[in-house]
Amino acid sequence: MDQQQPISRREEKRDLESIPVGTLGLIPLAGCADMGEKVDFYLTKWRAERESEHKNSLAFAGYQRPTYIVKGDVPRFGSGEGKGILRESVRGMDLYIMVDVVNYSMTYKLFGELNHMSPDDHYQNLKRIIAAVGGKARRITVIMPFLYEGRQHKRTSRESLDCALALQELVRMGVDNIITFDAHDPRVQNAIPLSGFETVQPAYQFIKALLKTVPDLTIDSDHMMIISPDEGGMSRAVYIANVLGLDMGMFYKRRDYTRVVNGRNPIVAHEFLGSSVEGKDVIIVDDMISSGESALEVAQALKDRKATRIFLFSTFGLFTGGLSTFDKAYADGIISGVFTTNLIYQSPELLERPWYVSCDMSKYIAYIIDTLNHDSSISDLLNPSDRIQNAVAKYNENKERAE
């Protein structure tokens, strides 16, 4: 397991000599406990081994602790109402609150009936914990990998702007920074232009997992191609294609705007724009797999165009329509692998699938928290192009040796 690996050179080289903003505190909410424990493991390990001449000064008080997790709870009454409770003082702390708003496995009793937590429930719990802090923390950063209501980011008719409202509400409650991953539309940060908002891309973790899992890739424009399944995800595909030196293509969705099915206009066809994919391995890059219907239709369209192997990269694997369609696509040879992160809940059934690869993001989140606590720049973490190219060079070198 990754936790047993020794500290890498990159970890040792991080220059974090500046004074911390405050004593570090980590509050993983219900549904994010496993990720919180992994992040805490790295933080305690790094800080125990980090050498600093200022370590024993007053400014570094509480710098080394057996755990940085602050115990909190959100109990509920039988009516379903709840309250946030902190079990220890957070006065003067630099707090990082982690929440997974799409963890549907969490339950609570509502008038005696078992109720699964919705994104609204998780968001309310986040606000309850912030309210329990009561303004005593020095700084509050919310780490919300799946941005709450991120798909409801713009108005096209008489409808609510839920994501913008949520961001503004968090800022009014005293949140200084919001860190999310692969926001559906990063422009939603315009709702809080004077507050910190970072949307982080897991491109490096995807490529590292692909190189580790697939031993016979040829990474050049003659043998591989990056595909965006729609026009909204072009920037993700462009970044990976440029870093790897590959061609890219895209599909656009032709919709029937005369009908509305399940709240949206149904897709009539996926039209392809790009060079030939014949004989090439293809990577489809998207921010999320919801039901998976659209991603599999794109994969089928690429197979019809004689693509060799098809891999799906998606930051969030929701799989709201179940796993059976992906099982069939894998059995039929349409897809060769699906890569998503552990930033949100993963069901045990998903983790057992032969076509699924989980990309662990806990160390990356620990890097971000550790760096921000020192008020240092995270620019190198937000743009991992050097690390990606180093990983590819190492992969090609090992492949040449094996041949």
Side-chain angles (χ1 to χ4, degrees):
M1 193 174 177
D2 199 24
Q3 291 184 359
Q4 304 304 319
Q5 293 180 358
I7 298 274
S8 72
R9 292 178 183 173
R10 180 171 179 77
E11 292 161 3
E12 292 171 350
K13 287 182 179 178
R14 289 200 72 77
D15 182 16
L16 298 177
E17 288 290 323
S18 57
I19 296 174
V21 172
T23 302
L24 177 60
L26 184 65
I27 307 179
L29 299 190
C32 219
D34 290 344
M35 175 66 81
E37 288 176 2
K38 290 180 179 180
V39 170
D40 185 56
F41 170 86
Y42 288 115
L43 290 171
T44 53
K45 182 178 178 63
W46 296 341
R47 294 195 168 197
E49 298 184 7
R50 181 174 293 146
E51 296 297 331
S52 172
E53 59 180 313
H54 307 292
K55 229 175 186 182
N56 298 320
S57 68
L58 186 61
F60 278 70
Y63 189 75
Q64 284 182 242
R65 304 212 308 276
T67 180
Y68 296 96
I69 293 179
V70 176
K71 293 180 181 177
D73 195 14
V74 186
R76 288 182 181 263
F77 303 101
S79 61
E81 298 167 293
K83 62 179 178 180
I85 301 174
L86 293 176
R87 305 293 183 184
E88 53 191 285
S89 173
V90 295
R91 188 178 295 275
M93 278 191 170
D94 183 21
L95 284 182
Y96 295 82
I97 306 175
M98 299 173 62
V99 58
D100 175 9
V101 298
V102 286
N103 189 337
Y104 61 90
S105 71
M106 305 302 296
T107 59
Y108 62 93
K109 285 290 185 70
L110 180 64
F111 289 92
E113 299 291 331
L114 196 64
N115 200 38
H116 286 265
M117 289 182 69
S118 71
D120 293 337
D121 291 318
H122 286 291
Y123 177 63
Q124 285 298 123
N125 281 358
L126 170 64
K127 292 196 294 181
R128 290 179 175 119
I129 288 296
I130 295 171
V133 172
K136 303 300 189 297
R138 182 160 299 172
R139 187 173 69 178
I140 298 177
T141 300
V142 169
I143 299 178
M144 184 188 290
F146 187 97
L147 188 61
Y148 174 70
E149 291 289 359
R151 284 181 284 183
Q152 190 53 33
H153 61 287
K154 63 180 179 180
R155 179 177 284 149
T156 56
S157 61
R158 300 182 195 92
E159 58 189 27
S160 57
L161 289 170
D162 295 49
C163 189
L165 286 172
L167 293 177
Q168 291 177 349
E169 186 175 23
L170 292 176
V171 168
R172 285 196 300 269
M173 292 185 73
V175 173
D176 298 280
N177 299 294
I178 297 169
I179 297 174
T180 189
F181 284 76
D182 210 351
H184 191 68
D185 188 344
R187 291 174 295 183
V188 77
Q189 66 188 288
N190 292 338
I192 50 169
L194 300 181
S195 299
F197 182 97
E198 299 289 353
T199 176
V200 186
Q201 300 289 336
Y204 171 63
Q205 285 76 11
F206 281 140
I207 293 168
K208 186 171 70 170
L210 179 69
L211 299 180
K212 184 178 179 181
T213 307
V214 185
D216 57 343
L217 294 169
T218 303
I219 306 172
D220 60 40
S221 56
D222 294 327
H223 298 87
M224 188 176 282
M225 195 166 174
I226 307 296
I227 299 293
S228 173
D230 53 43
E231 61 277 14
M234 281 287 288
S235 60
R236 301 180 192 93
V238 167
Y239 178 80
I240 294 178
N242 285 342
V243 172
L244 295 180
L246 305 178
D247 288 338
M248 70 153 291
M250 68 159 283
F251 284 83
Y252 69 89
K253 298 171 182 175
R254 191 147 52 84
R255 294 181 181 272
D256 181 359
Y257 286 99
T258 63
R259 296 187 299 136
V260 176
V261 179
N262 294 328
R264 62 181 184 177
N265 303 105
I267 298 169
V268 177
H270 293 272
E271 304 291 350
F272 182 64
L273 299 172
S275 57
S276 173
V277 298
E278 185 174 352
K280 296 180 181 178
D281 290 330
V282 172
I283 300 173
I284 302 173
V285 184
D286 207 356
D287 61 332
M288 72 178 74
I289 294 173
S290 187
S291 66
E293 178 183 343
S294 179
L296 292 179
E297 284 177 1
V298 167
Q300 181 63 65
L302 290 169
K303 272 294 181 184
D304 293 342
R305 289 169 172 81
K306 300 181 180 179
T308 306
R309 291 177 295 187
I310 297 174
F311 304 97
L312 301 180
F313 285 3
S314 182
T315 307
F316 306 109
L318 300 174
F319 300 102
T320 57
L323 304 175
S324 58
T325 53
F326 284 86
D327 291 336
K328 185 176 187 306
Y330 179 70
D332 293 345
I334 296 170
I335 58 172
S336 297
V338 178
F339 297 73
T340 77
T341 69
N342 65 338
L343 290 168
I344 61 172
Y345 172 71
Q346 299 163 301
S347 68
E349 295 78 19
L350 174 63
L351 294 171
E352 291 171 356
R353 289 304 198 266
W355 44 262
Y356 180 69
V357 179
S358 175
C359 303
D360 185 13
M361 300 296 294
S362 56
K363 184 184 285 189
Y364 195 30
I365 293 175
Y367 275 137
I368 292 172
I369 292 174
D370 197 23
T371 308
L372 289 179
N373 180 236
H374 282 264
D375 226 6
S376 297
S377 173
I378 59 171
S379 297
D380 62 320
L381 294 173
L382 298 180
N383 184 10
S385 58
D386 290 342
R387 281 176 289 160
I388 292 172
Q389 290 179 354
N390 289 339
V392 171
K394 187 176 179 181
Y395 176 85
N396 289 333
E397 185 180 324
N398 292 336
K399 187 179 173 185
E400 287 174 6
R401 285 178 186 169
E403 291 174 352

